PDB file of all heavy atoms in Angstrom:
ATOM      1  N   ARG A 131     105.415 107.102  85.066  1.00  0.00           N
ATOM      2  CA  ARG A 131     104.924 108.450  84.764  1.00  0.00           C
ATOM      3  C   ARG A 131     103.940 108.381  83.609  1.00  0.00           C
ATOM      4  O   ARG A 131     103.893 107.401  82.858  1.00  0.00           O
ATOM      5  CB  ARG A 131     106.072 109.412  84.433  1.00  0.00           C
ATOM      6  CG  ARG A 131     106.894 109.076  83.211  1.00  0.00           C
ATOM      7  CD  ARG A 131     108.126 109.977  83.123  1.00  0.00           C
ATOM      8  NE  ARG A 131     108.944 109.653  81.965  1.00  0.00           N
ATOM      9  CZ  ARG A 131     108.865 110.277  80.782  1.00  0.00           C
ATOM     10  NH1 ARG A 131     107.996 111.270  80.616  1.00  0.00           N
ATOM     11  NH2 ARG A 131     109.641 109.921  79.772  1.00  0.00           N
ATOM     12  N   VAL A 132     103.159 109.451  83.496  1.00  0.00           N
ATOM     13  CA  VAL A 132     102.130 109.556  82.459  1.00  0.00           C
ATOM     14  C   VAL A 132     102.397 110.799  81.640  1.00  0.00           C
ATOM     15  O   VAL A 132     102.677 111.870  82.196  1.00  0.00           O
ATOM     16  CB  VAL A 132     100.722 109.621  83.091  1.00  0.00           C
ATOM     17  CG1 VAL A 132      99.663 109.867  82.024  1.00  0.00           C
ATOM     18  CG2 VAL A 132     100.429 108.340  83.866  1.00  0.00           C
ATOM     19  N   GLU A 134     100.630 113.123  78.582  1.00  0.00           N
ATOM     20  CA  GLU A 134      99.399 113.387  77.848  1.00  0.00           C
ATOM     21  C   GLU A 134      99.693 113.827  76.415  1.00  0.00           C
ATOM     22  O   GLU A 134     100.662 114.531  76.151  1.00  0.00           O
ATOM     23  CB  GLU A 134      98.595 114.484  78.555  1.00  0.00           C
ATOM     24  CG  GLU A 134      98.156 114.137  79.970  1.00  0.00           C
ATOM     25  CD  GLU A 134      96.888 113.301  80.003  1.00  0.00           C
ATOM     26  OE1 GLU A 134      96.449 112.839  78.920  1.00  0.00           O
ATOM     27  OE2 GLU A 134      96.333 113.118  81.097  1.00  0.00           O
ATOM     28  N   HIS A 163     102.358 106.866  93.550  1.00  0.00           N
ATOM     29  CA  HIS A 163     103.493 107.400  92.799  1.00  0.00           C
ATOM     30  C   HIS A 163     103.022 108.397  91.743  1.00  0.00           C
ATOM     31  O   HIS A 163     103.760 109.295  91.343  1.00  0.00           O
ATOM     32  CB  HIS A 163     104.240 106.229  92.141  1.00  0.00           C
ATOM     33  CG  HIS A 163     105.435 106.628  91.340  1.00  0.00           C
ATOM     34  ND1 HIS A 163     106.613 107.074  91.906  1.00  0.00           N
ATOM     35  CD2 HIS A 163     105.637 106.653  89.985  1.00  0.00           C
ATOM     36  CE1 HIS A 163     107.483 107.345  90.955  1.00  0.00           C
ATOM     37  NE2 HIS A 163     106.928 107.100  89.792  1.00  0.00           N
ATOM     38  N   LEU A 164     101.763 108.224  91.312  1.00  0.00           N
ATOM     39  CA  LEU A 164     101.246 109.035  90.203  1.00  0.00           C
ATOM     40  C   LEU A 164     100.419 110.224  90.651  1.00  0.00           C
ATOM     41  O   LEU A 164      99.955 111.001  89.812  1.00  0.00           O
ATOM     42  CB  LEU A 164     100.406 108.150  89.267  1.00  0.00           C
ATOM     43  CG  LEU A 164     101.171 107.032  88.558  1.00  0.00           C
ATOM     44  CD1 LEU A 164     100.208 106.182  87.740  1.00  0.00           C
ATOM     45  CD2 LEU A 164     102.265 107.599  87.662  1.00  0.00           C
ATOM     46  N   ARG A 165     100.225 110.413  91.945  1.00  0.00           N
ATOM     47  CA  ARG A 165      99.387 111.521  92.421  1.00  0.00           C
ATOM     48  C   ARG A 165      99.919 112.867  91.959  1.00  0.00           C
ATOM     49  O   ARG A 165      99.154 113.787  91.672  1.00  0.00           O
ATOM     50  CB  ARG A 165      99.288 111.477  93.950  1.00  0.00           C
ATOM     51  CG  ARG A 165      98.244 112.438  94.531  1.00  0.00           C
ATOM     52  CD  ARG A 165      98.196 112.363  96.038  1.00  0.00           C
ATOM     53  NE  ARG A 165      97.630 111.117  96.495  1.00  0.00           N
ATOM     54  CZ  ARG A 165      98.206 110.270  97.331  1.00  0.00           C
ATOM     55  NH1 ARG A 165      99.419 110.537  97.793  1.00  0.00           N
ATOM     56  NH2 ARG A 165      97.605 109.165  97.708  1.00  0.00           N
ATOM     57  N   ARG A 166     101.236 112.980  91.860  1.00  0.00           N
ATOM     58  CA  ARG A 166     101.815 114.262  91.439  1.00  0.00           C
ATOM     59  C   ARG A 166     101.487 114.607  89.987  1.00  0.00           C
ATOM     60  O   ARG A 166     101.735 115.732  89.540  1.00  0.00           O
ATOM     61  CB  ARG A 166     103.334 114.242  91.640  1.00  0.00           C
ATOM     62  CG  ARG A 166     104.091 113.246  90.792  1.00  0.00           C
ATOM     63  CD  ARG A 166     105.601 113.392  91.016  1.00  0.00           C
ATOM     64  NE  ARG A 166     106.369 112.484  90.189  1.00  0.00           N
ATOM     65  CZ  ARG A 166     106.756 111.276  90.570  1.00  0.00           C
ATOM     66  NH1 ARG A 166     106.435 110.830  91.779  1.00  0.00           N
ATOM     67  NH2 ARG A 166     107.459 110.504  89.763  1.00  0.00           N
ATOM     68  N   THR A 167     100.924 113.662  89.237  1.00  0.00           N
ATOM     69  CA  THR A 167     100.510 113.942  87.863  1.00  0.00           C
ATOM     70  C   THR A 167      99.433 115.006  87.810  1.00  0.00           C
ATOM     71  O   THR A 167      99.369 115.808  86.874  1.00  0.00           O
ATOM     72  CB  THR A 167      99.999 112.651  87.180  1.00  0.00           C
ATOM     73  OG1 THR A 167     101.052 111.684  87.174  1.00  0.00           O
ATOM     74  CG2 THR A 167      99.563 112.920  85.747  1.00  0.00           C
ATOM     75  N   VAL A 168      98.569 115.045  88.821  1.00  0.00           N
ATOM     76  CA  VAL A 168      97.458 115.990  88.807  1.00  0.00           C
ATOM     77  C   VAL A 168      97.575 117.089  89.852  1.00  0.00           C
ATOM     78  O   VAL A 168      96.869 118.096  89.757  1.00  0.00           O
ATOM     79  CB  VAL A 168      96.101 115.265  88.978  1.00  0.00           C
ATOM     80  CG1 VAL A 168      95.831 114.342  87.814  1.00  0.00           C
ATOM     81  CG2 VAL A 168      96.055 114.493  90.292  1.00  0.00           C
ATOM     82  N   SER A 169      98.415 116.908  90.870  1.00  0.00           N
ATOM     83  CA  SER A 169      98.538 117.951  91.884  1.00  0.00           C
ATOM     84  C   SER A 169      99.854 117.778  92.617  1.00  0.00           C
ATOM     85  O   SER A 169     100.451 116.708  92.625  1.00  0.00           O
ATOM     86  CB  SER A 169      97.373 117.890  92.878  1.00  0.00           C
ATOM     87  OG  SER A 169      97.370 116.665  93.576  1.00  0.00           O
ATOM     88  N   ARG A 280      92.244 118.108  92.751  1.00  0.00           N
ATOM     89  CA  ARG A 280      92.065 117.537  91.407  1.00  0.00           C
ATOM     90  C   ARG A 280      92.400 116.053  91.420  1.00  0.00           C
ATOM     91  O   ARG A 280      93.384 115.634  92.040  1.00  0.00           O
ATOM     92  CB  ARG A 280      92.965 118.256  90.387  1.00  0.00           C
ATOM     93  CG  ARG A 280      92.665 119.731  90.193  1.00  0.00           C
ATOM     94  CD  ARG A 280      93.586 120.297  89.111  1.00  0.00           C
ATOM     95  NE  ARG A 280      93.374 119.658  87.830  1.00  0.00           N
ATOM     96  CZ  ARG A 280      94.291 119.603  86.852  1.00  0.00           C
ATOM     97  NH1 ARG A 280      95.489 120.127  87.042  1.00  0.00           N
ATOM     98  NH2 ARG A 280      94.020 119.011  85.706  1.00  0.00           N
ATOM     99  N   ASP A 283      93.324 114.742  84.952  1.00  0.00           N
ATOM    100  CA  ASP A 283      94.068 115.581  84.015  1.00  0.00           C
ATOM    101  C   ASP A 283      93.926 114.983  82.623  1.00  0.00           C
ATOM    102  O   ASP A 283      94.568 113.982  82.294  1.00  0.00           O
ATOM    103  CB  ASP A 283      95.539 115.664  84.411  1.00  0.00           C
ATOM    104  CG  ASP A 283      96.358 116.564  83.475  1.00  0.00           C
ATOM    105  OD1 ASP A 283      95.749 117.433  82.824  1.00  0.00           O
ATOM    106  OD2 ASP A 283      97.576 116.376  83.386  1.00  0.00           O
ATOM    107  N   PHE A 286      93.799 111.160  82.199  1.00  0.00           N
ATOM    108  CA  PHE A 286      94.322 110.473  83.373  1.00  0.00           C
ATOM    109  C   PHE A 286      93.421 110.759  84.564  1.00  0.00           C
ATOM    110  O   PHE A 286      92.990 111.890  84.774  1.00  0.00           O
ATOM    111  CB  PHE A 286      95.747 110.947  83.675  1.00  0.00           C
ATOM    112  CG  PHE A 286      96.301 110.418  84.963  1.00  0.00           C
ATOM    113  CD1 PHE A 286      96.751 109.112  85.046  1.00  0.00           C
ATOM    114  CD2 PHE A 286      96.365 111.221  86.091  1.00  0.00           C
ATOM    115  CE1 PHE A 286      97.258 108.615  86.243  1.00  0.00           C
ATOM    116  CE2 PHE A 286      96.882 110.736  87.284  1.00  0.00           C
ATOM    117  CZ  PHE A 286      97.327 109.427  87.357  1.00  0.00           C
TER     118      PHE A 286
END
Side-chain angles (χ1 to χ4, degrees):
R131 63 189 179 95
V132 174
E134 298 277 9
H163 180 72
L164 296 176
R165 190 180 290 125
R166 65 176 182 268
T167 300
V168 296
S169 62
R280 297 183 62 204
D283 181 23
F286 173 77

